[in-house]
Amino acid sequence: MFTGIVEEMGRINQLGYDKPDSFTMKIQAKLILEDINLGDSISVNGTCLTVDHYDKEKLEFSVGLAPETLRKTSLIELEQGSLVNLERALKPSSRMGGHFVQGHVDWTGEIVEFKPEGDSLWVKVKTVKEILRYIVPKGYIAVDGTSLTVVDVFDEEDCFNFMLVAYTQQKVVIPMKKVGQKVNLEVDILGKYVERLLSTGFVDAIKSS
């Protein structure tokens, strides 16, 4: 479980198939390595991945990516030198600054517009209708692992937008991307639970009891 508050940006040192069926990514970081352990969960651009090796002298750790992860996320677009958002898993004693983020990417979105306003930046993202139905104005969404507040939803365009303040622009990878590039999306889990309960007749059963 994560909060969507990015701790640092890491740099991809190496990625690819080190074996015919094994895709590995080596990431340079600093803060993440302070208390790292094998088996730790790390959010990499919003994708929960497991640490399988680390080297504190080289300031580097590695994670493996399953075929399903490569299919469902934008990580396949990364290359050597790319920056990624990093966050360690939430501790019970941690302050909850964002929202509950599982690190289970629902789908990807495509950046269709950047528009500055003052020192802030509007970002507009297009995605599929199956994901858009869970996105609501003023609701939470994780974009590349960053906890953000949705401003507007444009159903006719299959788009939504959000605004990045100046501080956030310096701390996450989203502003470094270009129009047409993909971002990982994870919608608020509460919406899925509500939909599931309604579809099973749970509410009607309570009313009739």
Short mmCIF file of all heavy atoms in Angstrom, two decimals, residues 72-120:
data_model
loop_
_atom_site.label_atom_id
_atom_site.label_comp_id
_atom_site.label_asym_id
_atom_site.label_seq_id
_atom_site.Cartn_x
_atom_site.Cartn_y
_atom_site.Cartn_z
N LYS A 72 0.18 -4.10 -19.24
CA LYS A 72 -0.82 -3.22 -18.65
C LYS A 72 -0.29 -1.85 -18.23
O LYS A 72 -1.07 -0.98 -17.88
CB LYS A 72 -1.44 -3.91 -17.42
CG LYS A 72 -2.39 -5.05 -17.74
CD LYS A 72 -3.68 -4.53 -18.36
CE LYS A 72 -4.65 -5.66 -18.66
NZ LYS A 72 -5.20 -6.27 -17.45
N THR A 73 1.00 -1.65 -18.26
CA THR A 73 1.57 -0.39 -17.77
C THR A 73 2.39 0.30 -18.86
O THR A 73 2.63 -0.26 -19.94
CB THR A 73 2.48 -0.62 -16.55
OG1 THR A 73 3.70 -1.26 -16.98
CG2 THR A 73 1.79 -1.50 -15.50
N SER A 74 2.83 1.50 -18.54
CA SER A 74 3.66 2.26 -19.48
C SER A 74 5.14 1.99 -19.28
O SER A 74 5.98 2.62 -19.95
CB SER A 74 3.38 3.76 -19.31
OG SER A 74 3.82 4.20 -18.02
N LEU A 75 5.50 1.09 -18.39
CA LEU A 75 6.91 0.84 -18.09
C LEU A 75 7.68 0.34 -19.31
O LEU A 75 8.89 0.53 -19.40
CB LEU A 75 7.04 -0.15 -16.93
CG LEU A 75 6.45 0.30 -15.59
CD1 LEU A 75 6.67 -0.77 -14.52
CD2 LEU A 75 7.05 1.62 -15.13
N ILE A 76 6.97 -0.30 -20.23
CA ILE A 76 7.63 -0.81 -21.43
C ILE A 76 8.20 0.32 -22.27
O ILE A 76 9.11 0.11 -23.09
CB ILE A 76 6.64 -1.66 -22.26
CG1 ILE A 76 7.36 -2.44 -23.36
CG2 ILE A 76 5.54 -0.79 -22.84
CD1 ILE A 76 8.32 -3.48 -22.88
N GLU A 77 7.70 1.56 -22.08
CA GLU A 77 8.19 2.70 -22.86
C GLU A 77 9.46 3.31 -22.28
O GLU A 77 10.08 4.18 -22.91
CB GLU A 77 7.11 3.78 -22.93
CG GLU A 77 5.87 3.38 -23.71
CD GLU A 77 4.90 4.54 -23.89
OE1 GLU A 77 5.10 5.59 -23.24
OE2 GLU A 77 3.95 4.39 -24.67
N LEU A 78 9.85 2.88 -21.08
CA LEU A 78 11.04 3.44 -20.46
C LEU A 78 12.29 3.00 -21.21
O LEU A 78 12.32 1.98 -21.88
CB LEU A 78 11.14 2.99 -19.00
CG LEU A 78 10.03 3.48 -18.06
CD1 LEU A 78 10.17 2.81 -16.70
CD2 LEU A 78 10.06 4.99 -17.92
N GLU A 79 13.34 3.80 -21.06
CA GLU A 79 14.62 3.47 -21.66
C GLU A 79 15.72 3.88 -20.70
O GLU A 79 15.46 4.54 -19.68
CB GLU A 79 14.79 4.16 -23.01
CG GLU A 79 14.59 5.65 -22.96
CD GLU A 79 14.53 6.29 -24.34
OE1 GLU A 79 14.11 5.60 -25.29
OE2 GLU A 79 14.91 7.46 -24.45
N GLN A 80 16.94 3.48 -20.98
CA GLN A 80 18.06 3.84 -20.12
C GLN A 80 18.16 5.36 -19.99
O GLN A 80 18.12 6.08 -20.98
CB GLN A 80 19.36 3.28 -20.69
CG GLN A 80 20.56 3.43 -19.76
CD GLN A 80 21.79 2.71 -20.30
OE1 GLN A 80 21.75 2.12 -21.35
NE2 GLN A 80 22.88 2.78 -19.55
N GLY A 81 18.22 5.83 -18.74
CA GLY A 81 18.29 7.26 -18.47
C GLY A 81 16.96 7.88 -18.12
O GLY A 81 16.92 9.02 -17.63
N SER A 82 15.86 7.16 -18.34
CA SER A 82 14.54 7.69 -17.99
C SER A 82 14.42 7.88 -16.49
O SER A 82 14.95 7.10 -15.70
CB SER A 82 13.44 6.72 -18.45
OG SER A 82 13.37 6.61 -19.85
N LEU A 83 13.71 8.93 -16.09
CA LEU A 83 13.42 9.16 -14.68
C LEU A 83 12.07 8.53 -14.33
O LEU A 83 11.16 8.50 -15.15
CB LEU A 83 13.38 10.66 -14.37
CG LEU A 83 14.70 11.41 -14.54
CD1 LEU A 83 14.50 12.90 -14.25
CD2 LEU A 83 15.78 10.84 -13.63
N VAL A 84 11.97 8.01 -13.11
CA VAL A 84 10.74 7.36 -12.65
C VAL A 84 10.40 7.84 -11.24
O VAL A 84 11.29 8.15 -10.44
CB VAL A 84 10.86 5.82 -12.66
CG1 VAL A 84 10.88 5.28 -14.08
CG2 VAL A 84 12.10 5.36 -11.89
N ASN A 85 9.11 7.89 -10.94
CA ASN A 85 8.65 8.21 -9.59
C ASN A 85 8.84 7.00 -8.69
O ASN A 85 8.48 5.88 -9.07
CB ASN A 85 7.16 8.58 -9.60
CG ASN A 85 6.89 9.89 -10.33
OD1 ASN A 85 7.73 10.78 -10.35
ND2 ASN A 85 5.71 10.00 -10.92
N LEU A 86 9.36 7.22 -7.49
CA LEU A 86 9.59 6.13 -6.54
C LEU A 86 8.93 6.43 -5.20
O LEU A 86 8.96 7.58 -4.72
CB LEU A 86 11.09 5.92 -6.32
CG LEU A 86 11.95 5.53 -7.54
CD1 LEU A 86 13.41 5.46 -7.14
CD2 LEU A 86 11.48 4.22 -8.14
N GLU A 87 8.35 5.40 -4.60
CA GLU A 87 7.79 5.52 -3.25
C GLU A 87 7.90 4.17 -2.55
O GLU A 87 7.56 3.14 -3.14
CB GLU A 87 6.33 5.96 -3.29
CG GLU A 87 5.73 6.13 -1.88
CD GLU A 87 4.22 6.35 -1.87
OE1 GLU A 87 3.62 6.45 -2.96
OE2 GLU A 87 3.65 6.39 -0.77
N ARG A 88 8.36 4.20 -1.31
CA ARG A 88 8.38 2.98 -0.51
C ARG A 88 6.99 2.67 0.03
O ARG A 88 6.14 3.56 0.12
CB ARG A 88 9.36 3.13 0.66
CG ARG A 88 10.82 3.18 0.25
CD ARG A 88 11.73 3.61 1.38
NE ARG A 88 11.53 5.01 1.72
CZ ARG A 88 12.27 5.69 2.59
NH1 ARG A 88 13.28 5.08 3.20
NH2 ARG A 88 12.03 6.96 2.84
N ALA A 89 6.76 1.40 0.38
CA ALA A 89 5.46 1.00 0.90
C ALA A 89 5.16 1.73 2.21
O ALA A 89 6.06 2.06 2.99
CB ALA A 89 5.43 -0.51 1.12
N LEU A 90 3.89 1.98 2.43
CA LEU A 90 3.41 2.70 3.61
C LEU A 90 3.63 1.88 4.88
O LEU A 90 3.37 0.68 4.91
CB LEU A 90 1.92 2.99 3.43
CG LEU A 90 1.18 3.77 4.52
CD1 LEU A 90 1.72 5.19 4.61
CD2 LEU A 90 -0.32 3.78 4.22
N LYS A 91 4.10 2.54 5.94
CA LYS A 91 4.22 1.92 7.25
C LYS A 91 3.01 2.30 8.11
O LYS A 91 2.41 3.37 7.89
CB LYS A 91 5.50 2.38 7.96
CG LYS A 91 6.79 1.92 7.32
CD LYS A 91 7.99 2.41 8.11
CE LYS A 91 9.29 1.91 7.48
NZ LYS A 91 10.48 2.39 8.25
N PRO A 92 2.63 1.46 9.09
CA PRO A 92 1.49 1.80 9.94
C PRO A 92 1.64 3.13 10.67
O PRO A 92 0.66 3.80 10.99
CB PRO A 92 1.45 0.64 10.95
CG PRO A 92 2.12 -0.50 10.26
CD PRO A 92 3.18 0.13 9.40
N SER A 93 2.89 3.54 10.88
CA SER A 93 3.15 4.79 11.61
C SER A 93 3.28 6.00 10.69
O SER A 93 3.47 7.12 11.15
CB SER A 93 4.44 4.64 12.43
OG SER A 93 5.54 4.34 11.58
N SER A 94 3.17 5.77 9.38
CA SER A 94 3.38 6.86 8.42
C SER A 94 2.20 7.81 8.39
O SER A 94 1.05 7.42 8.62
CB SER A 94 3.60 6.30 7.01
OG SER A 94 4.72 5.45 6.97
N ARG A 95 2.47 9.06 8.08
CA ARG A 95 1.42 10.04 7.88
C ARG A 95 0.79 9.81 6.50
O ARG A 95 1.50 9.64 5.52
CB ARG A 95 1.99 11.45 7.98
CG ARG A 95 0.97 12.56 7.76
CD ARG A 95 1.57 13.91 8.03
NE ARG A 95 1.89 14.08 9.45
CZ ARG A 95 2.51 15.16 9.94
NH1 ARG A 95 2.85 16.14 9.14
NH2 ARG A 95 2.76 15.24 11.23
N MET A 96 -0.54 9.82 6.44
CA MET A 96 -1.24 9.57 5.18
C MET A 96 -1.46 10.89 4.45
O MET A 96 -2.45 11.58 4.65
CB MET A 96 -2.59 8.88 5.49
CG MET A 96 -3.31 8.38 4.26
SD MET A 96 -2.41 7.03 3.49
CE MET A 96 -3.33 6.83 1.97
N GLY A 97 -0.51 11.25 3.59
CA GLY A 97 -0.58 12.55 2.95
C GLY A 97 -1.35 12.56 1.65
O GLY A 97 -1.79 13.61 1.19
N GLY A 98 -1.52 11.40 1.00
CA GLY A 98 -2.21 11.35 -0.28
C GLY A 98 -3.53 10.60 -0.16
O GLY A 98 -4.45 11.04 0.52
N HIS A 99 -3.61 9.44 -0.82
CA HIS A 99 -4.77 8.57 -0.67
C HIS A 99 -4.30 7.12 -0.79
O HIS A 99 -3.13 6.87 -1.07
CB HIS A 99 -5.86 8.91 -1.69
CG HIS A 99 -5.56 8.49 -3.11
ND1 HIS A 99 -4.69 9.20 -3.93
CD2 HIS A 99 -6.01 7.46 -3.87
CE1 HIS A 99 -4.64 8.62 -5.11
NE2 HIS A 99 -5.41 7.56 -5.10
N PHE A 100 -5.18 6.18 -0.54
CA PHE A 100 -4.78 4.78 -0.60
C PHE A 100 -4.50 4.36 -2.04
O PHE A 100 -5.39 4.33 -2.88
CB PHE A 100 -5.87 3.87 0.00
CG PHE A 100 -5.98 3.98 1.48
CD1 PHE A 100 -7.13 4.47 2.08
CD2 PHE A 100 -4.93 3.60 2.30
CE1 PHE A 100 -7.24 4.57 3.46
CE2 PHE A 100 -5.02 3.71 3.69
CZ PHE A 100 -6.17 4.19 4.26
N VAL A 101 -3.23 4.06 -2.31
CA VAL A 101 -2.79 3.63 -3.64
C VAL A 101 -2.22 2.22 -3.51
O VAL A 101 -1.33 1.98 -2.70
CB VAL A 101 -1.72 4.58 -4.20
CG1 VAL A 101 -1.23 4.10 -5.57
CG2 VAL A 101 -2.27 6.00 -4.31
N GLN A 102 -2.74 1.30 -4.28
CA GLN A 102 -2.32 -0.09 -4.17
C GLN A 102 -1.07 -0.41 -4.99
O GLN A 102 -0.38 -1.39 -4.73
CB GLN A 102 -3.45 -1.02 -4.60
CG GLN A 102 -4.68 -0.97 -3.69
CD GLN A 102 -5.76 -1.91 -4.19
OE1 GLN A 102 -6.31 -1.73 -5.27
NE2 GLN A 102 -6.04 -2.94 -3.42
N GLY A 103 -0.84 0.39 -6.03
CA GLY A 103 0.25 0.04 -6.93
C GLY A 103 -0.18 -0.97 -7.97
O GLY A 103 0.65 -1.57 -8.65
N HIS A 104 -1.51 -1.15 -8.11
CA HIS A 104 -2.07 -2.05 -9.12
C HIS A 104 -2.63 -1.19 -10.24
O HIS A 104 -3.75 -0.69 -10.15
CB HIS A 104 -3.17 -2.93 -8.51
CG HIS A 104 -2.70 -3.75 -7.36
ND1 HIS A 104 -3.55 -4.31 -6.43
CD2 HIS A 104 -1.44 -4.12 -6.98
CE1 HIS A 104 -2.85 -4.98 -5.53
NE2 HIS A 104 -1.57 -4.88 -5.85
N VAL A 105 -1.86 -1.00 -11.27
CA VAL A 105 -2.25 -0.12 -12.37
C VAL A 105 -3.48 -0.68 -13.08
O VAL A 105 -3.51 -1.85 -13.47
CB VAL A 105 -1.09 0.05 -13.37
CG1 VAL A 105 -1.52 0.86 -14.58
CG2 VAL A 105 0.10 0.71 -12.68
N ASP A 106 -4.51 0.16 -13.22
CA ASP A 106 -5.73 -0.27 -13.89
C ASP A 106 -5.60 -0.25 -15.40
O ASP A 106 -6.08 -1.13 -16.11
CB ASP A 106 -6.90 0.63 -13.48
CG ASP A 106 -7.29 0.43 -12.03
OD1 ASP A 106 -7.64 -0.70 -11.66
OD2 ASP A 106 -7.22 1.41 -11.26
N TRP A 107 -4.97 0.78 -15.91
CA TRP A 107 -4.76 0.91 -17.35
C TRP A 107 -3.85 2.12 -17.56
O TRP A 107 -3.45 2.76 -16.59
CB TRP A 107 -6.09 1.10 -18.09
CG TRP A 107 -6.03 0.73 -19.55
CD1 TRP A 107 -6.09 1.59 -20.62
CD2 TRP A 107 -5.88 -0.58 -20.11
NE1 TRP A 107 -6.00 0.89 -21.80
CE2 TRP A 107 -5.87 -0.46 -21.52
CE3 TRP A 107 -5.74 -1.86 -19.55
CZ2 TRP A 107 -5.72 -1.54 -22.37
CZ3 TRP A 107 -5.60 -2.95 -20.40
CH2 TRP A 107 -5.58 -2.77 -21.79
N THR A 108 -3.55 2.40 -18.80
CA THR A 108 -2.74 3.58 -19.09
C THR A 108 -3.61 4.68 -19.68
O THR A 108 -4.71 4.43 -20.18
CB THR A 108 -1.61 3.24 -20.08
OG1 THR A 108 -2.17 2.72 -21.28
CG2 THR A 108 -0.64 2.26 -19.47
N GLY A 109 -3.10 5.89 -19.61
CA GLY A 109 -3.73 7.02 -20.28
C GLY A 109 -2.70 7.68 -21.18
O GLY A 109 -1.50 7.44 -21.05
N GLU A 110 -3.18 8.51 -22.08
CA GLU A 110 -2.30 9.22 -23.00
C GLU A 110 -2.39 10.72 -22.74
O GLU A 110 -3.49 11.27 -22.68
CB GLU A 110 -2.69 8.94 -24.45
CG GLU A 110 -1.84 9.69 -25.47
CD GLU A 110 -2.35 9.52 -26.89
OE1 GLU A 110 -3.09 8.54 -27.13
OE2 GLU A 110 -2.01 10.35 -27.73
N ILE A 111 -1.26 11.35 -22.53
CA ILE A 111 -1.25 12.81 -22.34
C ILE A 111 -1.64 13.48 -23.66
O ILE A 111 -1.01 13.23 -24.70
CB ILE A 111 0.14 13.29 -21.89
CG1 ILE A 111 0.50 12.67 -20.53
CG2 ILE A 111 0.18 14.82 -21.82
CD1 ILE A 111 1.91 12.97 -20.08
N VAL A 112 -2.68 14.30 -23.62
CA VAL A 112 -3.13 14.97 -24.85
C VAL A 112 -2.90 16.48 -24.80
O VAL A 112 -2.97 17.15 -25.84
CB VAL A 112 -4.62 14.68 -25.13
CG1 VAL A 112 -4.84 13.20 -25.39
CG2 VAL A 112 -5.51 15.15 -23.98
N GLU A 113 -2.61 17.01 -23.60
CA GLU A 113 -2.40 18.46 -23.54
C GLU A 113 -1.67 18.88 -22.27
O GLU A 113 -1.95 18.36 -21.18
CB GLU A 113 -3.75 19.18 -23.60
CG GLU A 113 -3.65 20.71 -23.61
CD GLU A 113 -5.01 21.37 -23.62
OE1 GLU A 113 -5.82 21.11 -22.71
OE2 GLU A 113 -5.26 22.16 -24.56
N PHE A 114 -0.72 19.79 -22.43
CA PHE A 114 -0.12 20.54 -21.33
C PHE A 114 -0.49 22.00 -21.54
O PHE A 114 -0.32 22.53 -22.64
CB PHE A 114 1.41 20.41 -21.33
CG PHE A 114 1.94 19.08 -20.88
CD1 PHE A 114 2.69 18.29 -21.75
CD2 PHE A 114 1.72 18.63 -19.60
CE1 PHE A 114 3.19 17.07 -21.34
CE2 PHE A 114 2.23 17.40 -19.17
CZ PHE A 114 2.95 16.62 -20.04
N LYS A 115 -0.96 22.66 -20.49
CA LYS A 115 -1.31 24.08 -20.63
C LYS A 115 -0.94 24.83 -19.36
O LYS A 115 -1.54 24.62 -18.30
CB LYS A 115 -2.81 24.24 -20.92
CG LYS A 115 -3.22 25.68 -21.20
CD LYS A 115 -4.65 25.76 -21.73
CE LYS A 115 -5.66 25.40 -20.64
NZ LYS A 115 -7.06 25.61 -21.11
N PRO A 116 0.07 25.70 -19.43
CA PRO A 116 0.47 26.48 -18.25
C PRO A 116 -0.59 27.50 -17.86
O PRO A 116 -1.28 28.05 -18.72
CB PRO A 116 1.76 27.17 -18.70
CG PRO A 116 2.19 26.46 -19.94
CD PRO A 116 0.93 25.97 -20.58
N GLU A 117 -0.70 27.74 -16.56
CA GLU A 117 -1.52 28.84 -16.03
C GLU A 117 -0.80 29.38 -14.81
O GLU A 117 -0.75 28.73 -13.77
CB GLU A 117 -2.93 28.39 -15.67
CG GLU A 117 -3.80 29.55 -15.19
CD GLU A 117 -5.22 29.15 -14.86
OE1 GLU A 117 -5.68 28.08 -15.29
OE2 GLU A 117 -5.88 29.92 -14.14
N GLY A 118 -0.22 30.57 -14.94
CA GLY A 118 0.64 31.07 -13.88
C GLY A 118 1.84 30.16 -13.75
O GLY A 118 2.45 29.77 -14.75
N ASP A 119 2.17 29.77 -12.52
CA ASP A 119 3.27 28.83 -12.33
C ASP A 119 2.78 27.40 -12.19
O ASP A 119 3.55 26.49 -11.86
CB ASP A 119 4.14 29.23 -11.14
CG ASP A 119 3.38 29.18 -9.81
OD1 ASP A 119 2.16 28.92 -9.83
OD2 ASP A 119 4.02 29.41 -8.76
N SER A 120 1.49 27.18 -12.43
CA SER A 120 0.91 25.84 -12.39
C SER A 120 0.79 25.27 -13.80
O SER A 120 0.98 25.99 -14.79
CB SER A 120 -0.46 25.87 -11.71
OG SER A 120 -0.35 26.24 -10.35
#
